[in-house]
């Protein structure tokens, strides 16, 4: 392990079937004015809304609502929410939903007392908040992003065709508490469940495929990946399997709560490609990652072949005997491809509505990261996207 780092994650987690009761423990810590933030209505159908509301009432909170936070929340929706939170003099932002709702709450948190335009400040200039921010609490209903225990907030601007994530440096932007009840995820449509599963897996890959040192973080990653594979196969056959769904919920949290990136550089190019695809198509986040992953990993494999071999052996149980390093490495990716197909993930960009004409714009909108095995040039990004359009 070669890197120097600090590690602090202050989010308090309550996990399990009874976890919502702990909202009663948390609410008294904050002032009277709560803004309840949620999406397009799933929490009203499955009863979570009523349960949360009754706890808010019991605790005598004065509640305003921001409803209709869409998947891939937009900057216009952010402006709307900032106004509601300001008018309500919010003491706590309570997000009830998936990554979109949790991310959105964090974006509102850093914007309520900000005098500048939050899109320009946080998403174009990547500055940190200088103003007072609001505490965020989270009741998670969709598994994948890790937003419940990190300081990331992704916002989409349809006007400029940009989808940008800001991972805030200050851990006070992380949710103060998150309630993780795996049972809440059982009403997710299969498409969302598998998109979330691939999101988890890819978060781990993004932090795993970098560096050549012997690093404890990579061994933790391999264990998490094995758990995702095992649980995902069970959940894919029986989405109501509580044990599998609870393991997926827990791996998702650990996949992106800053632990497994300690002491390492990180890649994140699949996410940069996926986010630019998202800006053009508004497609489901995990599916955008699935569609570009294999062409990307096949392309960078020669630059990090040792790690791809380790991935093949330790995650996909490839027997290395009598094979070249590259053969073993490619067998690992084959294992990953088979698993992705088994889950029914979207394997090409065409199925997400991408056309040949969009490729140049998507490539130009892709932020180029420098922590992985290969710093891509624009023409290489175009090639990878074209291959992703053909399918795998
Ligand atoms: O809006 P509702 O009606 O609630 O429906 C949602 C939404 O349509 C539905 N859903 C959620 N929980 C449900 C449910 N339906 C039935 N039963 C339930 N229990 O699922 C749909 C997708 O929800 P969303 O929150 O959009 O999904 P996800 O959790 O994948 O979040 C995606 C957003 O997070 C960002 C993505 O870019 C995207 O904007 N990310 C955030 C990250 C972070 N904070 O670190 C990292 C990720 O890489 C990602 O970029
Ligand atoms: Zn992701």
């Amino acid at each position: 392990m070669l890197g120097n780092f600090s590690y602090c994650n202050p989010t308090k987690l309550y996990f399990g079937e009874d976890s919502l009761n702990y909202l009663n423990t948390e609410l008294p810590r904050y002032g009277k004015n709560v803004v309840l933030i949620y999406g397009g209505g799933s929490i009203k159908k499955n009863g979570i809304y009523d349960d949360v509301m009754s706890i808010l009432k019991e605790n005598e909170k004065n509640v305003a609502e921001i409803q209709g936070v869409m998947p891939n929340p937009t900057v216009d929706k952010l402006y709307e929410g900032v106004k509601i939170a300001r008018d309500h003099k919010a003491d706590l932002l309570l997000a009830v939903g998936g990554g979109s709702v949790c991310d959105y709450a964090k974006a509102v948190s850093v914007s309520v007392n900000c005098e500048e335009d939050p899109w320009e400040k946080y998403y174009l200039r990547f500055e940190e908040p200088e103003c007072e921010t609001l505490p965020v609490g989270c009741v998670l209903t969709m598994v994948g992003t890790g937003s419940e225990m990190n300081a990331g907030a992704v916002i989409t601007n349809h006007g400029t065709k940009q989808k940008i994530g800001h991972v805030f440096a200050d851990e006070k932007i992380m949710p103060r508490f998150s309630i993780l009840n795996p049972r809440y995820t059982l009403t997710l449509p299969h498409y969302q469940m598998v998109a979330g599963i691939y999101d988890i897996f890819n978060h781990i890959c993004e932090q795993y495929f970098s560096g050549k040192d012997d690093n404890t973080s990579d061994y933790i990653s391999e264990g998490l990946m094995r758990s995702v594979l095992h649980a995902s196969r069970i959940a894919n056959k029986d989405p109501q399997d509580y044990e599998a769904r609870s393991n997926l919920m827990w791996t998702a949290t650990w996949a992106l709560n800053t632990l497994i990136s300690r002491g390492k550089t990180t890649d994140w190019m699949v996410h940069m490609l996926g986010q630019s695809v998202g800006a053009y198509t508004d497609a489901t986040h995990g599916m955008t990652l699935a569609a570009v992953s294999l062409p990307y990993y096949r392309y960078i494999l020669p630059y990090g072949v040792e790690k791809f071999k380790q991935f093949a052996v330790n995650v996909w149980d490839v027997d290395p005997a009598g094979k070249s390093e590259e053969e073993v490495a490619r067998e690992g990716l084959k294992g990953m491809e088979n698993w992705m197909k088994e889950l029914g993930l979207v394997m090409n960009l065409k199925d997400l509505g991408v056309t040949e004409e969009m490729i140049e714009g998507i490539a130009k909108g892709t932020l180029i990261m420098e922590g992985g095995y290969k710093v891509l040039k624009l023409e290489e990004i175009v090639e990878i996207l074209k291959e992703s359009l053909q399918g795998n």
Side-chain angles (χ1 to χ4, degrees):
M1 192 120 134
L2 300 175
N4 303 314
F5 59 87
S6 66
Y7 180 70
C8 171
N9 192 319
T11 302
K12 180 146 187 173
L13 299 177
Y14 299 98
F15 192 97
E17 292 192 83
D18 299 328
S19 50
L20 190 64
N21 292 336
Y22 290 94
L23 197 50
N24 286 305
T25 311
E26 288 295 331
L27 288 177
R29 300 192 170 133
Y30 304 93
K32 281 238 163 307
N33 298 335
V34 175
V35 176
L36 178 66
I37 304 176
Y38 55 97
S42 70
I43 65 163
K44 289 203 168 156
K45 284 194 206 117
N46 56 25
I48 300 171
Y49 174 87
D50 289 340
D51 292 347
V52 169
M53 263 308 196
S54 77
I55 295 176
L56 286 165
K57 293 242 167 73
E58 278 162 31
N59 284 272
E60 296 175 345
K61 296 296 181 184
N62 173 22
V63 181
E65 297 188 13
I66 301 173
Q67 48 181 292
V69 176
M70 60 293 278
N72 313 318
T74 63
V75 68
D76 292 333
K77 188 72 186 173
L78 173 62
Y79 296 141
E80 181 192 317
V82 167
K83 184 171 182 326
I84 293 170
R86 270 183 196 152
D87 291 350
H88 193 59
K89 299 193 169 40
D91 298 307
L92 173 70
L93 303 173
L94 183 61
V96 184
S100 293
V101 174
C102 297
D103 277 19
Y104 176 87
K106 290 177 232 173
V108 172
S109 157
V110 295
S111 305
V112 166
N113 296 312
C114 177
E115 281 166 16
E116 295 160 81
D117 178 78
W119 172 255
E120 287 179 12
K121 182 176 175 65
Y122 300 127
Y123 294 94
L124 296 182
R125 300 199 299 272
F126 285 98
E127 290 172 9
E128 295 297 315
E130 283 124 34
C131 58
E132 208 179 312
T133 60
L134 291 180
V136 170
C138 168
V139 178
L140 194 68
T141 67
M142 150 98 199
V143 160
T145 64
S147 188
E148 65 275 15
M149 204 185 188
N150 70 37
V154 183
I155 294 292
T156 298
N157 187 330
H158 288 303
T160 60
K161 289 210 178 341
Q162 286 170 300
K163 181 178 183 187
I164 298 178
H166 188 148
V167 181
F168 290 94
D170 192 336
E171 54 268 1
K172 77 166 188 260
I173 311 304
M174 293 174 177
R176 299 293 165 90
F177 63 89
S178 282
I179 288 170
L180 310 182
N181 182 344
R183 205 159 283 291
Y184 289 170
T185 68
L186 298 181
T187 54
L188 272 169
H190 183 266
Y191 187 87
Q192 292 296 341
M193 178 186 79
V194 293
I197 289 169
Y198 190 70
D199 196 21
I200 308 171
F201 193 81
N202 191 256
H203 290 159
I204 308 171
C205 291
E206 299 276 31
Q207 298 162 92
Y208 180 79
F209 287 117
S210 66
K212 295 199 187 309
D213 56 325
D214 185 41
N215 192 316
T216 300
S217 293
D218 291 335
Y219 296 94
I220 300 172
S221 289
E222 286 166 4
L224 288 173
M225 286 195 264
R226 293 188 71 97
S227 178
V228 174
L229 296 184
H230 184 74
S232 67
R233 287 184 167 128
I234 298 169
N236 193 36
K237 286 205 189 93
D238 178 11
Q240 298 303 308
D241 188 303
Y242 179 85
E243 185 178 59
R245 300 300 291 274
S246 72
N247 281 322
L248 288 167
M249 193 169 220
W250 195 224
T251 50
T253 303
W254 286 93
L256 196 50
N257 68 0
T258 74
L259 177 79
I260 61 170
S261 64
R262 293 309 86 182
K264 300 197 66 188
T265 60
T266 49
D267 184 357
W268 292 109
M269 270 319 294
V270 169
H271 270 68
M272 295 307 109
L273 290 159
Q275 277 176 206
S276 196
V277 168
Y280 277 73
T281 60
D282 210 22
T284 298
H285 171 66
M287 294 308 188
T288 65
L289 308 177
V292 300
S293 280
L294 283 163
Y296 173 71
Y297 287 128
R298 286 187 198 120
Y299 185 76
I300 62 155
L301 181 144
Y303 303 93
V305 68
E306 280 170 34
K307 183 59 76 60
F308 278 94
K309 181 185 171 190
Q310 186 182 326
F311 176 67
V313 174
N314 291 353
V315 180
W316 300 99
D317 294 328
V318 174
D319 179 1
K323 295 169 197 155
S324 73
E325 201 169 46
E326 180 149 350
E327 278 169 344
V328 178
R330 294 212 180 264
E331 254 185 70
L333 285 190
K334 190 70 200 159
M336 183 166 109
E337 179 182 341
N338 292 341
W339 168 69
M340 292 170 78
K341 288 181 174 163
E342 188 185 320
L343 291 187
L345 295 167
V346 173
M347 302 298 279
N348 71 72
L349 286 177
K350 218 177 281 168
D351 291 350
L352 297 176
V354 174
T355 60
E356 196 86 49
E357 296 70 51
M358 291 180 193
I359 294 289
E360 202 188 323
I362 294 173
K364 285 192 176 143
T366 301
L367 299 180
I368 297 176
M369 309 301 276
E370 299 190 343
Y373 287 120
K374 170 88 177 75
V375 181
L376 296 182
K377 299 192 184 73
L378 183 64
E379 43 297 5
E380 294 172 308
I381 293 176
V382 169
E383 278 315 302
I384 290 164
L385 289 170
K386 279 189 178 158
E387 212 170 304
S388 308
L389 200 56
Q390 303 311 319
N392 299 284

